[in-house]
């Protein structure tokens, strides 16, 4: 799973960026980094407090987290198939 650090994520810690991008807890994001499952610009990064710069490519090892398309932050507000509208 790859993404490029955009303006929304720039300035955040690596763990914080993963948390925002994938909707996971900060503890989960920190664990991913510390266990070597995350690369920044092709290099394994184990410092969850590192702040990747705008435009850097972040890679999370395949299988390290389960991300469902409907759970990505970009999809919020669009609803998921099968969700019923309230009201």
């Amino acid at each position: 799973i790859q993404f490029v650090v955009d303006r929304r994520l720039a300035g955040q810690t690596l763990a914080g960026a993963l948390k925002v991008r994938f909707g996971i807890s900060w503890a989960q994001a920190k664990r991913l980094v510390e266990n070597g499952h995350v690369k920044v610009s092709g290099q394994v990064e184990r410092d969850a407090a590192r702040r990747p710069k705008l435009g850097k490519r972040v890679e999370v090892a395949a299988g390290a987290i389960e991300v469902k398309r409907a759970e990505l932050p970009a999809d919020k507000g669009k609803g998921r198939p099968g969700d019923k509208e309230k009201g």
Side-chain angles (χ1 to χ4, degrees):
I1 304 168
Q2 298 181 15
F3 65 93
V4 175
V5 176
D6 59 17
R7 284 183 278 167
R8 174 179 60 125
L9 301 175
Q12 294 201 30
T13 63
L14 184 54
L18 292 171
K19 178 183 180 303
V20 169
R21 180 68 174 85
F22 299 116
I24 59 177
S25 73
W26 191 87
Q28 288 173 310
K30 183 179 178 207
R31 225 177 358 262
L32 283 173
V33 176
E34 290 175 346
N35 289 333
H37 297 293
V38 180
K39 291 182 180 180
V40 178
S41 297
Q43 300 292 318
V44 173
E45 180 58 67
R46 291 183 185 265
D47 182 0
R50 178 86 46 173
R51 295 179 188 270
K53 294 182 179 174
L54 183 68
K56 294 289 183 179
R57 180 169 303 279
V58 177
E59 256 180 272
V60 179
I65 57 175
E66 182 179 325
V67 178
K68 296 178 183 171
R69 175 83 180 124
E71 292 176 354
L72 294 177
D75 291 337
K76 284 190 177 174
K78 294 181 182 177
R80 287 185 264 182
D83 283 353
K84 295 179 182 176
E85 287 189 16
K86 295 180 183 176

